[in-house]
Amino acid sequence: MYEGKHLFIYELLTNEAYPDLGYGKILVETIEQEEKVRGCQMLVLTSGLARKEAHRFYLEKMGMTQSSLVFRKDL
């Protein structure tokens, strides 16, 4: 796999009523630490195109980069 051994998160949500309490950062950092212990080399997640605030969080606060696009087609 092009991402090596990794953890893939399809959706990551926190309570929108409490956007600035740091729960998202704590959650992602905890996942990162746990997966390093399990030998994962990378954390990968998808996020809907409309979630601009989430994207800014991942890029600016969590140090992630955008590495791909996800394509889909209803059958």
Side-chain angles (χ1 to χ4, degrees):
M1 300 187 85
Y2 68 92
E3 300 289 5
K5 185 174 180 182
H6 65 281
L7 171 72
F8 194 102
I9 299 174
Y10 288 94
E11 294 183 59
L12 180 69
L13 302 171
T14 59
N15 191 327
E16 291 180 6
Y18 307 102
D20 297 320
L21 296 180
Y23 295 136
K25 189 172 192 307
I26 292 168
L27 182 57
V28 172
E29 288 174 344
T30 301
I31 291 168
E32 289 173 350
Q33 291 170 4
E34 289 296 318
E35 292 312 308
K36 282 181 186 177
V37 170
R38 292 186 170 97
C40 284
Q41 301 159 329
M42 188 166 300
L43 171 64
V44 181
L45 65 86
T46 60
S47 180
L49 292 173
R51 300 189 67 228
K52 301 297 183 194
E53 290 297 316
H55 303 162
R56 186 166 43 248
F57 166 74
Y58 299 136
L59 293 167
E60 295 176 7
K61 297 202 173 162
M62 299 312 305
M64 296 180 174
T65 59
Q66 185 177 5
S67 62
S68 65
L69 297 172
V70 176
F71 297 92
R72 59 185 252 182
K73 180 179 180 180
D74 292 335
L75 301 177

